[in-house]
Amino acid sequence: MDEESKKELVGEEKEGINIIRRLKAYIFCGLCSLFYAAFHIIVKLCLDKGMSKYVLVVYGYAVGTATTALLALLFERKLESKLSLSICLKIFLLGLIGVVGRLLFYFGLESTSPTFAAAMNNIIPSMTFILAIICRMEKINIKKLTSQAKIGGTIVAFGGATLMTVYKGFTVVSMHALHTTKHGATPKLLLYSHLIKGSLLLILQCLLAAVYYVLQAKTVEKYPAPFTLTVLTCLSGTLISAILALIIDHKISSWKLALDITLVTPIYSGIVIFGIATYVQTLVMRTRGPVFVTAFRPFTTVIVAILGLLILGDALHLGGILGATLIVLGLYALLWAKEVESERKKLAKPAIPDEKIQIKSEN
């Protein structure tokens, strides 16, 4: 085999590896969307059973700590990443933001529905994008089409979230349509007040989630041990949520678990969400950034809408469908811009060594 054939073979192998890496990021984010969709339904069923939201957060973080600690021992025993005061402060903040965000999500979910909450969570990428600009993790040049797509997508996504908050509209799809037409004015007013309250709580939760993703991306740069970082974050969240739960919820009965959904939810939350999903997201975030990770939220919305309709009997309203559609359109404008910029960076990288070689040969 001559040298040209060898170079072509090496080039093809590298290209194949790059395609696999790119597909891996998409597959991982797709799986996380599925995990989060199931989480929305499970939590709603658990809250309907009357479990304390504060206790649910504690148990979720505790199981998450145990799960990720085991994974850290298996995969990161030989890593020698040192904990500085700055990293410890960031871990504490991640725990605090995570606990408050989780509580806001539970309260918002209780006042709305899993489908609505999942759709509202689609504004997280837009908020993450804005924060990434503020933190100088994203660059904007208004003359470029990609920057215009990012800004336009963000505005459209926020427009969709606003529409979902202020407008409900008629029922488009419902498994219990026959039982929803005999309500008076008072139930409707009560329903709308709950919807607005839940929407505001979920919007605030989305803002905290965006802050969490940006801070997580910054932290993992300085402390490149995803499992260990997740363990410490979960441990921080466990301690903070436990103190908060003991202050607010004094009932011993609130901490009891039965052999039903109240036991399944903390285990699923700890192992799948805090353990697997958080670790997978951290891995993707290291290579593709926080905006890419959060851009897969629409998949969660679609899956939750189907599960909510079939399992919980949630109705799909016109305002929710229109708002969710705008959010998804805005998200994919943002994702398209990110992909174009990523491709441009890859094409620009080989140009630097070639120039250096040319200068050396001229000398």
Side-chain angles (χ1 to χ4, degrees):
M1 188 182 287
D2 58 359
E3 286 189 17
E4 286 185 10
S5 300
K6 285 181 181 179
K7 283 180 181 179
E8 283 179 12
L9 188 63
V10 170
E12 285 174 5
E13 285 178 359
K14 285 182 178 179
E15 191 177 343
I17 291 166
N18 288 331
I19 290 168
I20 291 166
R21 282 176 181 172
R22 286 179 64 186
L23 284 175
K24 194 186 289 184
Y26 281 92
I27 291 165
F28 280 169
C29 288
L31 281 173
C32 285
S33 296
L34 183 62
F35 294 153
Y36 279 112
F39 179 67
H40 278 73
I41 303 298
I42 291 168
V43 169
K44 182 64 175 176
L45 291 170
C46 184
L47 294 175
D48 287 345
K49 275 275 185 180
M51 187 171 185
S52 168
K53 290 174 277 295
Y54 300 98
V55 174
L56 182 57
V57 173
V58 178
Y59 281 142
Y61 270 110
V63 175
T65 304
T67 304
T68 50
L70 179 63
L71 294 171
L73 284 171
L74 289 171
F75 298 106
E76 293 181 353
R77 281 181 300 176
K78 295 179 180 179
L79 290 177
E80 296 180 356
S81 300
K82 293 182 180 179
L83 282 169
S84 64
L85 184 63
S86 174
I87 297 296
C88 288
L89 179 61
K90 285 184 174 70
I91 288 167
F92 171 77
L93 288 173
L94 284 170
L96 180 62
I97 293 165
V99 168
V100 176
R102 186 72 42 158
L103 284 170
L104 287 171
F105 172 72
Y106 290 164
F107 277 105
L109 180 61
E110 192 176 47
S111 299
T112 55
S113 69
T115 305
F116 187 93
M120 191 63 75
N121 268 268
N122 287 326
I123 64 170
I124 291 174
S126 300
M127 289 184 169
T128 307
F129 170 62
I130 292 167
L131 289 173
I133 292 171
I134 295 168
C135 297
R136 296 182 181 180
M137 295 170 74
E138 290 282 338
K139 293 179 181 179
I140 286 291
N141 184 350
I142 200 67
K143 293 179 181 179
K144 290 184 177 180
L145 182 61
T146 51
S147 294
Q148 292 168 8
K150 285 180 181 180
I151 295 166
T154 302
I155 293 168
V156 170
F158 273 109
T162 305
L163 181 64
M164 287 183 69
T165 304
V166 300
Y167 176 67
K168 188 174 183 181
F170 60 84
T171 304
V172 178
V173 184
S174 175
M175 298 295 284
H176 307 289
L178 295 172
H179 303 285
T180 59
T181 56
K182 296 181 179 180
H183 292 293
T186 306
K188 282 187 178 180
L189 287 171
L190 189 64
L191 188 65
Y192 277 108
S193 66
H194 274 290
L195 183 66
I196 292 169
K197 175 191 169 185
S199 299
L200 293 173
L201 288 171
L202 289 170
I203 288 169
L204 187 55
Q205 177 259 326
C206 290
L207 178 60
L208 285 178
V211 173
Y212 184 94
Y213 281 122
V214 171
L215 183 60
Q216 187 184 45
K218 288 277 186 183
T219 308
V220 81
E221 284 177 8
K222 302 291 182 182
Y223 192 78
F227 274 132
T228 308
L229 180 61
T230 308
V231 174
L232 296 172
T233 303
C234 284
L235 181 61
S236 175
T238 304
L239 296 173
I240 293 166
S241 59
I243 293 166
L244 192 64
L246 290 170
I247 293 169
I248 296 171
D249 197 337
H250 305 288
K251 296 177 183 177
I252 297 172
S253 58
S254 299
W255 296 82
K256 290 180 181 178
L257 295 172
L259 293 172
D260 54 18
I261 196 70
T262 58
L263 178 63
V264 173
T265 306
I267 293 172
Y268 183 88
S269 176
I271 295 174
V272 179
I273 303 300
F274 289 106
I276 300 169
T278 303
Y279 173 67
V280 167
Q281 283 181 338
T282 307
L283 284 179
V284 178
M285 204 175 290
R286 288 173 70 182
T287 55
R288 306 304 294 267
V291 177
F292 180 88
V293 171
T294 54
F296 282 79
R297 291 278 176 174
F299 288 107
T300 303
T301 307
V302 174
I303 298 165
V304 171
I306 295 166
L307 293 176
L309 190 67
L310 298 174
I311 298 170
L312 302 175
D314 288 340
L316 297 178
H317 298 278
L318 180 64
I321 292 170
L322 291 175
T325 303
L326 287 174
I327 290 170
V328 170
L329 289 173
L331 275 176
Y332 282 105
L334 194 63
L335 183 59
W336 172 81
K338 287 291 295 176
E339 277 297 295
V340 171
E341 286 183 349
S342 178
E343 287 298 320
R344 285 177 182 172
K345 283 179 183 177
K346 286 176 184 176
L347 291 171
K349 278 182 181 179
I352 298 167
D354 289 343
E355 286 175 11
K356 287 183 179 178
I357 292 164
Q358 214 170 7
I359 290 164
K360 283 182 181 180
S361 62
E362 285 174 6
N363 292 334

